Amino acid sequence: MNKVKTRALAETSALTALSIVLALLSLIVPIFHMIAVFLVPVVLMVIGARSGLRWSILSFIVTMVLAGAGLGLLWQVVLELGPASIGALVIVLCWQRGWHYTWMLTLPPVVTTVLMLGAMWAALAAVGTSPLALFANNGVDFVNKILDAYRS
């Protein structure tokens, strides 16, 4: 293993550990949750800028597995950290490929929004309701159905 790969491995592992600690702190300290959702993708972008997309993807996978399965934050990771982190990976991809800055400003928010909507639909399907039920009857039936699913 040459010096460059060793340095990239060390930086990636240290920053990945930082991401996992941020995810854990977001579970313990409620106000830190908003900060963690912003900082975990920033960590991925720093790894991507310093070491490349491959290391950034590796850090993303390790963070999602350890924070999701190991810390019991699976739904938080799937619904919030995952889409935001994939948006950060898209920024790294655009930057590495040398795409025009308009792509870097347009593509990541679109990808993140689509993934967030998909995650919201999956969460509603897991509760056993339709996403359209949110808008029916001012959401009263929707809230009652979620409360019933929570109680059972």
Side-chain angles (χ1 to χ4, degrees):
M1 188 180 279
N2 61 17
K3 188 176 181 179
V4 175
K5 286 186 181 179
T6 305
R7 180 178 296 143
L9 178 63
E11 289 174 353
T12 302
S13 60
L15 290 172
T16 301
L18 177 66
S19 294
I20 294 169
V21 168
L22 289 172
L24 179 62
L25 283 176
S26 71
L27 178 67
I28 297 170
V29 181
I31 193 69
F32 199 73
H33 176 73
M34 294 179 291
I35 297 168
V37 169
F38 172 73
L39 287 180
V40 169
V42 169
V43 169
L44 290 175
M45 286 188 289
V46 168
I47 292 171
R50 292 191 49 85
S51 304
L53 183 63
R54 178 177 49 167
W55 291 99
S56 190
I57 290 172
L58 179 66
S59 175
F60 168 73
I61 291 170
V62 169
T63 301
M64 295 302 118
V65 167
L66 290 180
L71 299 175
L73 303 173
L74 186 60
W75 278 108
Q76 178 184 356
V77 167
V78 168
L79 294 177
E80 296 166 1
L81 293 179
S85 297
I86 291 174
L89 293 175
V90 171
I91 291 174
V92 172
L93 176 70
C94 293
W95 178 71
Q96 275 193 341
R97 299 279 168 101
W99 291 354
H100 197 260
Y101 68 90
T102 53
W103 284 107
M104 291 178 69
L105 294 173
T106 307
L107 196 56
V110 169
V111 169
T112 303
T113 302
V114 168
L115 290 173
M116 287 272 194
L117 289 173
M120 185 180 94
W121 178 82
L124 292 174
V127 175
T129 186
S130 167
L132 298 177
L134 177 64
F135 303 109
N137 297 330
N138 295 328
V140 174
D141 294 335
F142 174 75
V143 171
N144 289 335
K145 192 165 190 175
I146 289 179
L147 289 174
D148 291 339
Y150 178 73
R151 289 181 186 137
S152 63

